[in-house]
PDB file of all heavy atoms in Angstrom:
ATOM      1  N   PRO A   1     132.660 111.573  68.027  1.00 97.00           N
ATOM      2  CA  PRO A   1     132.290 111.017  66.744  1.00 97.00           C
ATOM      3  C   PRO A   1     130.802 111.400  66.581  1.00 97.00           C
ATOM      4  O   PRO A   1     130.011 111.115  67.358  1.00 97.00           O
ATOM      5  CB  PRO A   1     132.488 109.548  66.866  1.00 97.00           C
ATOM      6  CG  PRO A   1     133.552 109.325  67.927  1.00 97.00           C
ATOM      7  CD  PRO A   1     133.293 110.430  68.881  1.00 97.00           C
ATOM      8  N   ALA A   2     130.573 111.973  65.345  1.00 98.00           N
ATOM      9  CA  ALA A   2     129.188 112.445  65.114  1.00 98.00           C
ATOM     10  C   ALA A   2     128.858 112.428  63.595  1.00 98.00           C
ATOM     11  O   ALA A   2     129.767 112.501  62.758  1.00 98.00           O
ATOM     12  CB  ALA A   2     129.055 113.877  65.707  1.00 98.00           C
ATOM     13  N   ARG A   3     127.542 112.300  63.361  1.00 98.00           N
ATOM     14  CA  ARG A   3     127.089 112.265  61.966  1.00 98.00           C
ATOM     15  C   ARG A   3     125.745 112.969  61.784  1.00 98.00           C
ATOM     16  O   ARG A   3     124.868 112.797  62.699  1.00 98.00           O
ATOM     17  CB  ARG A   3     126.926 110.840  61.457  1.00 98.00           C
ATOM     18  CG  ARG A   3     128.104 109.828  61.760  1.00 98.00           C
ATOM     19  CD  ARG A   3     127.931 108.554  61.133  1.00 98.00           C
ATOM     20  NE  ARG A   3     126.930 107.711  61.729  1.00 98.00           N
ATOM     21  CZ  ARG A   3     126.971 106.379  61.876  1.00 98.00           C
ATOM     22  NH1 ARG A   3     128.060 105.685  61.359  1.00 98.00           N
ATOM     23  NH2 ARG A   3     125.988 105.700  62.381  1.00 98.00           N
ATOM     24  N   ALA A   4     125.512 113.706  60.732  1.00 98.00           N
ATOM     25  CA  ALA A   4     124.221 114.190  60.437  1.00 98.00           C
ATOM     26  C   ALA A   4     123.551 113.186  59.584  1.00 98.00           C
ATOM     27  O   ALA A   4     124.267 112.579  58.693  1.00 98.00           O
ATOM     28  CB  ALA A   4     124.299 115.523  59.722  1.00 98.00           C
ATOM     29  N   ARG A   5     122.328 112.917  59.770  1.00 98.00           N
ATOM     30  CA  ARG A   5     121.599 111.878  59.081  1.00 98.00           C
ATOM     31  C   ARG A   5     120.329 112.462  58.410  1.00 98.00           C
ATOM     32  O   ARG A   5     119.544 113.266  59.050  1.00 98.00           O
ATOM     33  CB  ARG A   5     121.074 110.662  59.937  1.00 98.00           C
ATOM     34  CG  ARG A   5     122.302 110.034  60.675  1.00 98.00           C
ATOM     35  CD  ARG A   5     123.394 109.440  59.788  1.00 98.00           C
ATOM     36  NE  ARG A   5     122.832 108.483  58.794  1.00 98.00           N
ATOM     37  CZ  ARG A   5     122.782 107.160  58.946  1.00 98.00           C
ATOM     38  NH1 ARG A   5     123.316 106.688  60.164  1.00 98.00           N
ATOM     39  NH2 ARG A   5     122.463 106.359  58.072  1.00 98.00           N
ATOM     40  N   CYS A   6     120.123 112.143  57.128  1.00 98.00           N
ATOM     41  CA  CYS A   6     118.997 112.688  56.387  1.00 98.00           C
ATOM     42  C   CYS A   6     117.956 111.505  56.260  1.00 98.00           C
ATOM     43  O   CYS A   6     118.300 110.369  55.736  1.00 98.00           O
ATOM     44  CB  CYS A   6     119.413 113.092  54.995  1.00 98.00           C
ATOM     45  SG  CYS A   6     118.100 113.668  53.912  1.00 98.00           S
ATOM     46  N   GLY A   7     116.659 111.775  56.484  1.00 98.00           N
ATOM     47  CA  GLY A   7     115.616 110.787  56.414  1.00 98.00           C
ATOM     48  C   GLY A   7     114.292 111.235  56.674  1.00 98.00           C
ATOM     49  O   GLY A   7     113.918 112.333  56.163  1.00 98.00           O
ATOM     50  N   PHE A   8     113.587 110.687  57.575  1.00 98.00           N
ATOM     51  CA  PHE A   8     112.163 110.944  57.879  1.00 98.00           C
ATOM     52  C   PHE A   8     111.811 110.745  59.329  1.00 98.00           C
ATOM     53  O   PHE A   8     112.162 109.662  59.877  1.00 98.00           O
ATOM     54  CB  PHE A   8     111.232 110.090  56.961  1.00 98.00           C
ATOM     55  CG  PHE A   8     111.539 110.226  55.509  1.00 98.00           C
ATOM     56  CD1 PHE A   8     112.449 109.400  54.855  1.00 98.00           C
ATOM     57  CD2 PHE A   8     110.790 111.212  54.749  1.00 98.00           C
ATOM     58  CE1 PHE A   8     112.640 109.518  53.536  1.00 98.00           C
ATOM     59  CE2 PHE A   8     111.023 111.324  53.477  1.00 98.00           C
ATOM     60  CZ  PHE A   8     111.984 110.492  52.813  1.00 98.00           C
ATOM     61  N   GLY A   9     111.234 111.719  59.913  1.00 98.00           N
ATOM     62  CA  GLY A   9     110.706 111.556  61.299  1.00 98.00           C
ATOM     63  C   GLY A   9     109.285 110.915  61.217  1.00 98.00           C
ATOM     64  O   GLY A   9     108.441 111.353  60.488  1.00 98.00           O
ATOM     65  N   MET A  10     109.209 109.872  62.046  1.00 98.00           N
ATOM     66  CA  MET A  10     107.959 109.117  62.075  1.00 98.00           C
ATOM     67  C   MET A  10     107.002 109.542  63.208  1.00 98.00           C
ATOM     68  O   MET A  10     105.964 108.887  63.415  1.00 98.00           O
ATOM     69  CB  MET A  10     108.319 107.639  62.223  1.00 98.00           C
ATOM     70  CG  MET A  10     109.312 107.028  61.145  1.00 98.00           C
ATOM     71  SD  MET A  10     108.713 107.428  59.420  1.00 98.00           S
ATOM     72  CE  MET A  10     107.199 106.307  59.361  1.00 98.00           C
ATOM     73  N   TYR A  11     107.307 110.645  63.926  1.00 97.00           N
ATOM     74  CA  TYR A  11     106.614 110.958  65.101  1.00 97.00           C
ATOM     75  C   TYR A  11     105.834 112.379  65.007  1.00 97.00           C
ATOM     76  O   TYR A  11     105.264 112.829  65.909  1.00 97.00           O
ATOM     77  CB  TYR A  11     107.534 110.998  66.299  1.00 97.00           C
ATOM     78  CG  TYR A  11     108.849 111.661  66.102  1.00 97.00           C
ATOM     79  CD1 TYR A  11     109.146 112.915  66.130  1.00 97.00           C
ATOM     80  CD2 TYR A  11     109.883 110.762  65.832  1.00 97.00           C
ATOM     81  CE1 TYR A  11     110.328 113.437  65.979  1.00 97.00           C
ATOM     82  CE2 TYR A  11     111.204 111.241  65.609  1.00 97.00           C
ATOM     83  CZ  TYR A  11     111.439 112.616  65.652  1.00 97.00           C
ATOM     84  OH  TYR A  11     112.649 113.080  65.402  1.00 97.00           O
ATOM     85  N   PHE A  12     105.941 112.940  63.874  1.00 97.00           N
ATOM     86  CA  PHE A  12     105.304 114.258  63.665  1.00 97.00           C
ATOM     87  C   PHE A  12     103.854 114.161  63.431  1.00 97.00           C
ATOM     88  O   PHE A  12     103.004 114.914  63.960  1.00 97.00           O
ATOM     89  CB  PHE A  12     106.004 115.136  62.680  1.00 97.00           C
ATOM     90  CG  PHE A  12     107.487 115.399  62.897  1.00 97.00           C
ATOM     91  CD1 PHE A  12     108.415 114.838  62.078  1.00 97.00           C
ATOM     92  CD2 PHE A  12     107.813 116.229  63.971  1.00 97.00           C
ATOM     93  CE1 PHE A  12     109.773 115.119  62.343  1.00 97.00           C
ATOM     94  CE2 PHE A  12     109.158 116.461  64.268  1.00 97.00           C
ATOM     95  CZ  PHE A  12     110.097 115.967  63.375  1.00 97.00           C
ATOM     96  N   GLU A  13     103.514 113.195  62.588  1.00 96.00           N
ATOM     97  CA  GLU A  13     102.124 113.005  62.177  1.00 96.00           C
ATOM     98  C   GLU A  13     101.886 111.447  62.080  1.00 96.00           C
ATOM     99  O   GLU A  13     102.561 110.763  61.238  1.00 96.00           O
ATOM    100  CB  GLU A  13     101.841 113.674  60.804  1.00 96.00           C
ATOM    101  CG  GLU A  13     100.322 113.598  60.478  1.00 96.00           C
ATOM    102  CD  GLU A  13     100.053 114.549  59.241  1.00 96.00           C
ATOM    103  OE1 GLU A  13     100.957 115.378  58.867  1.00 96.00           O
ATOM    104  OE2 GLU A  13      98.988 114.388  58.700  1.00 96.00           O
ATOM    105  N   GLU A  14     100.917 110.896  62.734  1.00 96.00           N
ATOM    106  CA  GLU A  14     100.784 109.517  62.837  1.00 96.00           C
ATOM    107  C   GLU A  14     100.581 108.936  61.459  1.00 96.00           C
ATOM    108  O   GLU A  14      99.728 109.390  60.532  1.00 96.00           O
ATOM    109  CB  GLU A  14      99.597 109.121  63.641  1.00 96.00           C
ATOM    110  CG  GLU A  14      99.439 107.587  63.887  1.00 96.00           C
ATOM    111  CD  GLU A  14      98.287 107.319  64.877  1.00 96.00           C
ATOM    112  OE1 GLU A  14      97.693 108.233  65.389  1.00 96.00           O
ATOM    113  OE2 GLU A  14      98.050 106.095  65.112  1.00 96.00           O
ATOM    114  N   GLY A  15     101.297 107.857  61.071  1.00 96.00           N
ATOM    115  CA  GLY A  15     101.119 107.174  59.755  1.00 96.00           C
ATOM    116  C   GLY A  15     101.955 107.832  58.672  1.00 96.00           C
ATOM    117  O   GLY A  15     101.872 107.305  57.528  1.00 96.00           O
ATOM    118  N   TYR A  16     102.728 108.830  59.025  1.00 98.00           N
ATOM    119  CA  TYR A  16     103.424 109.554  57.922  1.00 98.00           C
ATOM    120  C   TYR A  16     104.957 109.721  58.237  1.00 98.00           C
ATOM    121  O   TYR A  16     105.257 109.814  59.523  1.00 98.00           O
ATOM    122  CB  TYR A  16     102.899 110.965  57.623  1.00 98.00           C
ATOM    123  CG  TYR A  16     101.518 110.920  56.973  1.00 98.00           C
ATOM    124  CD1 TYR A  16     100.434 110.867  57.736  1.00 98.00           C
ATOM    125  CD2 TYR A  16     101.465 110.993  55.573  1.00 98.00           C
ATOM    126  CE1 TYR A  16      99.117 110.769  57.140  1.00 98.00           C
ATOM    127  CE2 TYR A  16     100.201 110.921  54.922  1.00 98.00           C
ATOM    128  CZ  TYR A  16      99.021 110.923  55.703  1.00 98.00           C
ATOM    129  OH  TYR A  16      97.810 110.848  55.128  1.00 98.00           O
ATOM    130  N   GLY A  17     105.864 109.619  57.218  1.00 98.00           N
ATOM    131  CA  GLY A  17     107.150 109.952  57.414  1.00 98.00           C
ATOM    132  C   GLY A  17     107.513 111.282  56.825  1.00 98.00           C
ATOM    133  O   GLY A  17     107.301 111.477  55.629  1.00 98.00           O
ATOM    134  N   LEU A  18     107.861 112.167  57.708  1.00 98.00           N
ATOM    135  CA  LEU A  18     108.143 113.604  57.220  1.00 98.00           C
ATOM    136  C   LEU A  18     109.646 113.907  57.109  1.00 98.00           C
ATOM    137  O   LEU A  18     110.465 113.576  57.997  1.00 98.00           O
ATOM    138  CB  LEU A  18     107.439 114.607  58.143  1.00 98.00           C
ATOM    139  CG  LEU A  18     105.982 114.413  58.333  1.00 98.00           C
ATOM    140  CD1 LEU A  18     105.350 115.550  59.105  1.00 98.00           C
ATOM    141  CD2 LEU A  18     105.265 114.291  56.940  1.00 98.00           C
ATOM    142  N   ASP A  19     109.912 114.473  55.925  1.00 98.00           N
ATOM    143  CA  ASP A  19     111.336 114.852  55.683  1.00 98.00           C
ATOM    144  C   ASP A  19     112.021 115.461  56.941  1.00 98.00           C
ATOM    145  O   ASP A  19     111.502 116.443  57.469  1.00 98.00           O
ATOM    146  CB  ASP A  19     111.406 115.779  54.462  1.00 98.00           C
ATOM    147  CG  ASP A  19     112.691 116.244  54.082  1.00 98.00           C
ATOM    148  OD1 ASP A  19     113.433 115.523  53.411  1.00 98.00           O
ATOM    149  OD2 ASP A  19     113.127 117.341  54.551  1.00 98.00           O
ATOM    150  N   HIS A  20     113.229 114.943  57.305  1.00 98.00           N
ATOM    151  CA  HIS A  20     113.865 115.571  58.535  1.00 98.00           C
ATOM    152  C   HIS A  20     115.337 115.073  58.535  1.00 98.00           C
ATOM    153  O   HIS A  20     115.688 114.193  57.871  1.00 98.00           O
ATOM    154  CB  HIS A  20     113.147 115.030  59.787  1.00 98.00           C
ATOM    155  CG  HIS A  20     113.502 115.717  60.993  1.00 98.00           C
ATOM    156  ND1 HIS A  20     113.472 117.096  61.091  1.00 98.00           N
ATOM    157  CD2 HIS A  20     113.688 115.339  62.302  1.00 98.00           C
ATOM    158  CE1 HIS A  20     113.727 117.499  62.311  1.00 98.00           C
ATOM    159  NE2 HIS A  20     113.872 116.412  62.998  1.00 98.00           N
ATOM    160  N   TRP A  21     116.146 115.934  59.393  1.00 98.00           N
ATOM    161  CA  TRP A  21     117.496 115.562  59.628  1.00 98.00           C
ATOM    162  C   TRP A  21     117.697 115.478  61.081  1.00 98.00           C
ATOM    163  O   TRP A  21     117.059 116.357  61.902  1.00 98.00           O
ATOM    164  CB  TRP A  21     118.449 116.619  59.062  1.00 98.00           C
ATOM    165  CG  TRP A  21     118.592 116.676  57.553  1.00 98.00           C
ATOM    166  CD1 TRP A  21     117.640 116.908  56.701  1.00 98.00           C
ATOM    167  CD2 TRP A  21     119.759 116.483  56.812  1.00 98.00           C
ATOM    168  NE1 TRP A  21     118.184 116.983  55.447  1.00 98.00           N
ATOM    169  CE2 TRP A  21     119.477 116.734  55.514  1.00 98.00           C
ATOM    170  CE3 TRP A  21     121.142 116.200  57.211  1.00 98.00           C
ATOM    171  CZ2 TRP A  21     120.442 116.536  54.473  1.00 98.00           C
ATOM    172  CZ3 TRP A  21     122.034 116.033  56.245  1.00 98.00           C
ATOM    173  CH2 TRP A  21     121.748 116.255  54.850  1.00 98.00           C
ATOM    174  N   ILE A  22     118.578 114.615  61.593  1.00 98.00           N
ATOM    175  CA  ILE A  22     118.839 114.443  62.954  1.00 98.00           C
ATOM    176  C   ILE A  22     120.424 114.335  63.056  1.00 98.00           C
ATOM    177  O   ILE A  22     121.151 114.355  62.094  1.00 98.00           O
ATOM    178  CB  ILE A  22     118.226 113.217  63.615  1.00 98.00           C
ATOM    179  CG1 ILE A  22     118.772 111.979  62.930  1.00 98.00           C
ATOM    180  CG2 ILE A  22     116.772 113.371  63.574  1.00 98.00           C
ATOM    181  CD1 ILE A  22     118.584 110.702  63.781  1.00 98.00           C
ATOM    182  N   THR A  23     120.899 114.343  64.336  1.00 98.00           N
ATOM    183  CA  THR A  23     122.303 114.174  64.613  1.00 98.00           C
ATOM    184  C   THR A  23     122.509 112.868  65.343  1.00 98.00           C
ATOM    185  O   THR A  23     121.664 112.447  66.141  1.00 98.00           O
ATOM    186  CB  THR A  23     122.799 115.288  65.524  1.00 98.00           C
ATOM    187  OG1 THR A  23     122.316 116.505  65.070  1.00 98.00           O
ATOM    188  CG2 THR A  23     124.315 115.280  65.698  1.00 98.00           C
ATOM    189  N   GLU A  24     123.599 112.106  64.999  1.00 98.00           N
ATOM    190  CA  GLU A  24     124.024 110.949  65.766  1.00 98.00           C
ATOM    191  C   GLU A  24     125.370 111.223  66.419  1.00 98.00           C
ATOM    192  O   GLU A  24     126.204 111.923  65.765  1.00 98.00           O
ATOM    193  CB  GLU A  24     124.190 109.778  64.780  1.00 98.00           C
ATOM    194  CG  GLU A  24     122.878 109.203  64.301  1.00 98.00           C
ATOM    195  CD  GLU A  24     123.168 107.916  63.378  1.00 98.00           C
ATOM    196  OE1 GLU A  24     124.233 107.751  62.776  1.00 98.00           O
ATOM    197  OE2 GLU A  24     122.215 107.128  63.213  1.00 98.00           O
ATOM    198  N   TYR A  25     125.602 110.684  67.570  1.00 98.00           N
ATOM    199  CA  TYR A  25     126.869 110.698  68.204  1.00 98.00           C
ATOM    200  C   TYR A  25     127.189 109.332  68.693  1.00 98.00           C
ATOM    201  O   TYR A  25     126.196 108.566  69.089  1.00 98.00           O
ATOM    202  CB  TYR A  25     126.991 111.792  69.299  1.00 98.00           C
ATOM    203  CG  TYR A  25     126.237 111.398  70.611  1.00 98.00           C
ATOM    204  CD1 TYR A  25     126.893 110.712  71.655  1.00 98.00           C
ATOM    205  CD2 TYR A  25     124.935 111.824  70.770  1.00 98.00           C
ATOM    206  CE1 TYR A  25     126.230 110.370  72.781  1.00 98.00           C
ATOM    207  CE2 TYR A  25     124.215 111.482  71.989  1.00 98.00           C
ATOM    208  CZ  TYR A  25     124.890 110.798  73.005  1.00 98.00           C
ATOM    209  OH  TYR A  25     124.216 110.459  74.061  1.00 98.00           O
ATOM    210  N   ARG A  26     128.395 108.964  68.882  1.00 97.00           N
ATOM    211  CA  ARG A  26     128.926 107.666  69.371  1.00 97.00           C
ATOM    212  C   ARG A  26     128.988 107.708  70.859  1.00 97.00           C
ATOM    213  O   ARG A  26     129.700 108.538  71.413  1.00 97.00           O
ATOM    214  CB  ARG A  26     130.268 107.295  68.773  1.00 97.00           C
ATOM    215  CG  ARG A  26     130.653 105.924  69.057  1.00 97.00           C
ATOM    216  CD  ARG A  26     129.799 104.863  68.249  1.00 97.00           C
ATOM    217  NE  ARG A  26     130.242 103.492  68.587  1.00 97.00           N
ATOM    218  CZ  ARG A  26     129.638 102.430  68.044  1.00 97.00           C
ATOM    219  NH1 ARG A  26     128.694 102.546  67.235  1.00 97.00           N
ATOM    220  NH2 ARG A  26     130.126 101.291  68.341  1.00 97.00           N
ATOM    221  N   HIS A  27     128.189 106.819  71.562  1.00 94.00           N
ATOM    222  CA  HIS A  27     128.293 106.712  72.891  1.00 94.00           C
ATOM    223  C   HIS A  27     129.308 105.623  73.301  1.00 94.00           C
ATOM    224  O   HIS A  27     128.986 104.401  73.064  1.00 94.00           O
ATOM    225  CB  HIS A  27     126.858 106.236  73.435  1.00 94.00           C
ATOM    226  CG  HIS A  27     126.716 106.352  74.948  1.00 94.00           C
ATOM    227  ND1 HIS A  27     127.400 105.691  75.779  1.00 94.00           N
ATOM    228  CD2 HIS A  27     125.811 107.111  75.644  1.00 94.00           C
ATOM    229  CE1 HIS A  27     127.084 105.964  77.087  1.00 94.00           C
ATOM    230  NE2 HIS A  27     126.093 106.820  77.003  1.00 94.00           N
ATOM    231  N   ASP A  28     130.420 106.025  73.828  1.00 86.00           N
ATOM    232  CA  ASP A  28     131.507 105.107  74.050  1.00 86.00           C
ATOM    233  C   ASP A  28     131.130 104.067  75.125  1.00 86.00           C
ATOM    234  O   ASP A  28     131.382 102.833  74.929  1.00 86.00           O
ATOM    235  CB  ASP A  28     132.716 105.917  74.511  1.00 86.00           C
ATOM    236  CG  ASP A  28     133.490 106.635  73.366  1.00 86.00           C
ATOM    237  OD1 ASP A  28     133.235 106.204  72.217  1.00 86.00           O
ATOM    238  OD2 ASP A  28     134.192 107.587  73.630  1.00 86.00           O
ATOM    239  N   GLY A  29     130.493 104.547  76.103  1.00 87.00           N
ATOM    240  CA  GLY A  29     130.203 103.580  77.214  1.00 87.00           C
ATOM    241  C   GLY A  29     129.264 102.368  76.833  1.00 87.00           C
ATOM    242  O   GLY A  29     129.344 101.397  77.305  1.00 87.00           O
ATOM    243  N   GLU A  30     128.285 102.758  75.861  1.00 90.00           N
ATOM    244  CA  GLU A  30     127.316 101.706  75.443  1.00 90.00           C
ATOM    245  C   GLU A  30     127.599 101.211  74.004  1.00 90.00           C
ATOM    246  O   GLU A  30     126.900 100.374  73.464  1.00 90.00           O
ATOM    247  CB  GLU A  30     125.959 102.423  75.410  1.00 90.00           C
ATOM    248  CG  GLU A  30     125.531 102.850  76.805  1.00 90.00           C
ATOM    249  CD  GLU A  30     124.146 103.551  76.881  1.00 90.00           C
ATOM    250  OE1 GLU A  30     123.517 103.485  75.794  1.00 90.00           O
ATOM    251  OE2 GLU A  30     123.771 104.054  77.927  1.00 90.00           O
ATOM    252  N   ASP A  31     128.714 101.619  73.423  1.00 89.00           N
ATOM    253  CA  ASP A  31     129.166 101.141  72.136  1.00 89.00           C
ATOM    254  C   ASP A  31     128.080 101.133  71.070  1.00 89.00           C
ATOM    255  O   ASP A  31     127.790 100.179  70.344  1.00 89.00           O
ATOM    256  CB  ASP A  31     129.739  99.684  72.205  1.00 89.00           C
ATOM    257  CG  ASP A  31     130.462  99.253  70.972  1.00 89.00           C
ATOM    258  OD1 ASP A  31     131.052 100.148  70.317  1.00 89.00           O
ATOM    259  OD2 ASP A  31     130.567  98.097  70.742  1.00 89.00           O
ATOM    260  N   ARG A  32     127.396 102.347  70.947  1.00 95.00           N
ATOM    261  CA  ARG A  32     126.344 102.507  69.976  1.00 95.00           C
ATOM    262  C   ARG A  32     126.247 103.883  69.542  1.00 95.00           C
ATOM    263  O   ARG A  32     126.768 104.881  70.199  1.00 95.00           O
ATOM    264  CB  ARG A  32     125.033 102.051  70.578  1.00 95.00           C
ATOM    265  CG  ARG A  32     124.530 102.924  71.668  1.00 95.00           C
ATOM    266  CD  ARG A  32     123.253 102.436  72.324  1.00 95.00           C
ATOM    267  NE  ARG A  32     122.703 103.236  73.401  1.00 95.00           N
ATOM    268  CZ  ARG A  32     121.761 104.119  73.230  1.00 95.00           C
ATOM    269  NH1 ARG A  32     121.131 104.357  72.107  1.00 95.00           N
ATOM    270  NH2 ARG A  32     121.284 104.903  74.226  1.00 95.00           N
ATOM    271  N   TRP A  33     125.540 104.135  68.400  1.00 97.00           N
ATOM    272  CA  TRP A  33     125.223 105.473  67.914  1.00 97.00           C
ATOM    273  C   TRP A  33     123.922 105.947  68.512  1.00 97.00           C
ATOM    274  O   TRP A  33     122.878 105.180  68.377  1.00 97.00           O
ATOM    275  CB  TRP A  33     125.174 105.530  66.398  1.00 97.00           C
ATOM    276  CG  TRP A  33     126.498 105.291  65.773  1.00 97.00           C
ATOM    277  CD1 TRP A  33     127.102 104.123  65.339  1.00 97.00           C
ATOM    278  CD2 TRP A  33     127.516 106.388  65.514  1.00 97.00           C
ATOM    279  NE1 TRP A  33     128.456 104.399  64.873  1.00 97.00           N
ATOM    280  CE2 TRP A  33     128.644 105.749  64.906  1.00 97.00           C
ATOM    281  CE3 TRP A  33     127.507 107.729  65.645  1.00 97.00           C
ATOM    282  CZ2 TRP A  33     129.780 106.422  64.494  1.00 97.00           C
ATOM    283  CZ3 TRP A  33     128.661 108.448  65.292  1.00 97.00           C
ATOM    284  CH2 TRP A  33     129.778 107.839  64.774  1.00 97.00           C
ATOM    285  N   VAL A  34     123.842 107.111  69.072  1.00 98.00           N
ATOM    286  CA  VAL A  34     122.616 107.675  69.684  1.00 98.00           C
ATOM    287  C   VAL A  34     122.112 108.667  68.754  1.00 98.00           C
ATOM    288  O   VAL A  34     122.838 109.612  68.235  1.00 98.00           O
ATOM    289  CB  VAL A  34     122.996 108.251  71.016  1.00 98.00           C
ATOM    290  CG1 VAL A  34     121.676 108.858  71.648  1.00 98.00           C
ATOM    291  CG2 VAL A  34     123.526 107.235  71.983  1.00 98.00           C
ATOM    292  N   ARG A  35     120.763 108.591  68.497  1.00 98.00           N
ATOM    293  CA  ARG A  35     120.145 109.588  67.518  1.00 98.00           C
ATOM    294  C   ARG A  35     119.429 110.679  68.314  1.00 98.00           C
ATOM    295  O   ARG A  35     118.665 110.352  69.236  1.00 98.00           O
ATOM    296  CB  ARG A  35     119.139 108.844  66.685  1.00 98.00           C
ATOM    297  CG  ARG A  35     119.809 107.843  65.650  1.00 98.00           C
ATOM    298  CD  ARG A  35     118.935 107.224  64.740  1.00 98.00           C
ATOM    299  NE  ARG A  35     119.661 106.451  63.670  1.00 98.00           N
ATOM    300  CZ  ARG A  35     119.082 105.846  62.733  1.00 98.00           C
ATOM    301  NH1 ARG A  35     117.740 105.705  62.658  1.00 98.00           N
ATOM    302  NH2 ARG A  35     119.868 105.249  61.782  1.00 98.00           N
ATOM    303  N   VAL A  36     119.775 111.874  67.967  1.00 98.00           N
ATOM    304  CA  VAL A  36     119.199 113.021  68.705  1.00 98.00           C
ATOM    305  C   VAL A  36     118.490 113.886  67.702  1.00 98.00           C
ATOM    306  O   VAL A  36     119.027 114.363  66.595  1.00 98.00           O
ATOM    307  CB  VAL A  36     120.396 113.861  69.330  1.00 98.00           C
ATOM    308  CG1 VAL A  36     119.753 115.078  70.140  1.00 98.00           C
ATOM    309  CG2 VAL A  36     121.228 112.969  70.300  1.00 98.00           C
ATOM    310  N   ASP A  37     117.252 114.271  67.946  1.00 98.00           N
ATOM    311  CA  ASP A  37     116.537 115.232  67.170  1.00 98.00           C
ATOM    312  C   ASP A  37     116.899 116.641  67.676  1.00 98.00           C
ATOM    313  O   ASP A  37     116.287 117.211  68.556  1.00 98.00           O
ATOM    314  CB  ASP A  37     115.046 115.044  67.258  1.00 98.00           C
ATOM    315  CG  ASP A  37     114.309 115.930  66.265  1.00 98.00           C
ATOM    316  OD1 ASP A  37     114.820 116.921  65.885  1.00 98.00           O
ATOM    317  OD2 ASP A  37     113.062 115.611  65.999  1.00 98.00           O
ATOM    318  N   THR A  38     118.049 117.144  67.192  1.00 98.00           N
ATOM    319  CA  THR A  38     118.617 118.379  67.678  1.00 98.00           C
ATOM    320  C   THR A  38     117.535 119.571  67.614  1.00 98.00           C
ATOM    321  O   THR A  38     117.466 120.357  68.582  1.00 98.00           O
ATOM    322  CB  THR A  38     119.864 118.759  66.877  1.00 98.00           C
ATOM    323  OG1 THR A  38     120.791 117.770  67.059  1.00 98.00           O
ATOM    324  CG2 THR A  38     120.354 120.053  67.371  1.00 98.00           C
ATOM    325  N   GLU A  39     116.810 119.595  66.495  1.00 98.00           N
ATOM    326  CA  GLU A  39     115.926 120.698  66.371  1.00 98.00           C
ATOM    327  C   GLU A  39     114.807 120.682  67.363  1.00 98.00           C
ATOM    328  O   GLU A  39     114.297 121.784  67.872  1.00 98.00           O
ATOM    329  CB  GLU A  39     115.295 120.665  64.930  1.00 98.00           C
ATOM    330  CG  GLU A  39     114.279 121.827  64.722  1.00 98.00           C
ATOM    331  CD  GLU A  39     113.564 121.760  63.433  1.00 98.00           C
ATOM    332  OE1 GLU A  39     113.850 120.829  62.672  1.00 98.00           O
ATOM    333  OE2 GLU A  39     112.770 122.567  63.119  1.00 98.00           O
TER     334      GLU A  39
END
């Protein structure tokens, strides 16, 4: 199970949210969605 997510990276420039997309996948063992900055 996976999802692409559209939003903002908060770690590129301090104090700013920069337009970005990441990938989420479902971690079965931990029963949660894990966010991965694929790029």
Side-chain angles (χ1 to χ4, degrees):
R3 312 185 292 212
R5 302 302 302 265
C6 177
F8 301 91
M10 305 303 295
Y11 41 82
F12 299 115
E13 188 172 347
E14 187 174 357
Y16 289 87
L18 301 187
D19 179 84
H20 196 44
W21 288 65
I22 62 159
T23 311
E24 288 183 336
Y25 73 90
R26 186 72 178 179
H27 193 302
D28 284 339
E30 299 179 6
D31 193 28
R32 67 185 179 100
W33 290 94
V34 179
R35 292 183 170 179
V36 181
D37 188 339
T38 299
E39 181 185 358

